[in-house]
Amino acid sequence: MNQSHSTLPPATRREVEERLKSLRAARGYLLPHHGLLAVATPDLLDAYDATYSTLTLERNHLGEQTKEFVWLTILGATRVSVGTHHIRRWRDSGGSDAKFEAALKLAAYAQGVSVFPFIQKHWSAHLPRRDTVQIYRDGINGVVGDMGIPTSWLELALASTHACLQQWWAFEIHVAGAYSAGASEGELAEALTFAMFHAGAPCFVNACDKWRRLILAGDVPATEPYRAWAEMPGQGGYDEAAGLTVQSS
């Protein structure tokens, strides 16, 4: 983690230049927001850097290739061109170009997911012998083919990607799929934190709530620690705490 030399904003041009040079040397690259935070609010840069390092650099639950496969799928689906350092990390972890391409194909496939809940809601009578979820999953199998990508990678990558895109029909499918594929809850939680960093805290809040509701409904076999989280009352935020309700029209 890069630590600012001072908690005070730099006062001169030379101080700014020296701080940005130090930041680039520590990270190996520089993005515009790094520099702005280094100039304006060094304490915030340090907190941001610590969060980023914990989420993306340190070893938590996910292996390096799994982590970067999730990231590549997210970045492709959300079209973040500056995320190329994750391509380098993918290759440094031993990831192949073929699996990299598979992540990009999954990212593209995720864009069209709204077709499937539409079919489920409006056209299911015209497909009486076909399950919409299975049609959707058949498409995933067609995308990845026989590339040998672990099923848990697919589930984690698509759960996090659909969280970023706020496509909750597919998100819930892949949360349940992650359990079925043998991913640990810690791995799923870590993958979803990438959505917090990439798509924003409100998106992550919504994803956590959707997962929590799946646990409460008995739709996933949660372990006791995660059940304790899900069953804790009073997680509705300010409106619930203040006794306010949203009136529906």
Side-chain angles (χ1 to χ4, degrees), residues 70-204:
V70 173
W71 266 113
L72 291 174
T73 308
I74 291 172
L75 294 170
T78 55
R79 297 172 177 79
V80 178
S81 61
V82 297
T84 50
H85 50 288
H86 286 286
I87 300 175
R88 187 204 69 202
R89 289 179 185 144
W90 166 254
R91 288 176 172 152
D92 287 348
S93 73
S96 69
D97 285 349
K99 287 186 172 67
F100 176 25
E101 292 178 10
L104 299 181
K105 291 175 182 177
L106 287 172
Y109 185 68
Q111 300 295 305
V113 75
S114 60
V115 171
F116 297 99
F118 165 80
I119 292 170
Q120 190 174 61
K121 182 176 181 179
H122 298 288
W123 287 0
S124 58
H126 297 277
L127 297 162
R129 290 176 294 279
R130 292 288 286 154
D131 176 66
T132 305
V133 174
Q134 189 58 54
I135 296 172
Y136 166 69
R137 285 201 169 278
D138 288 346
I140 295 172
N141 294 335
V143 166
V144 299
D146 57 356
M147 292 184 182
I149 298 172
T151 304
S152 61
W153 288 22
L154 301 177
E155 302 298 338
L156 294 170
L158 287 170
S160 191
T161 296
H162 287 304
C164 288
L165 299 174
Q166 300 195 63
Q167 297 180 150
W168 303 119
W169 181 87
F171 170 81
E172 293 181 358
I173 288 171
H174 291 294
V175 169
Y179 278 91
S180 297
S184 72
E185 288 162 315
E187 289 174 319
L188 178 58
E190 184 176 350
L192 294 183
T193 60
F194 302 161
M196 171 181 65
F197 192 83
H198 183 73
C203 174
F204 181 58

Side-chain angles (χ1 to χ4, degrees), residues 61 179 185-187 189 211 215 222-231:
H61 298 279
Y179 278 91
E185 288 162 315
E187 289 174 319
W211 182 6
I215 294 173
T223 60
E224 282 305 304
Y226 284 81
R227 287 202 63 82
W229 155 57
E231 293 169 356

Side-chain angles (χ1 to χ4, degrees), residues 2 5 14-30 38:
N2 177 69
H5 297 302
R14 181 178 178 82
E15 287 177 344
V16 170
E17 291 173 346
E18 290 302 316
R19 182 163 291 176
L20 296 186
K21 287 177 182 177
S22 175
L23 181 61
R24 186 187 344 243
R27 278 187 168 269
Y29 61 91
L30 193 64

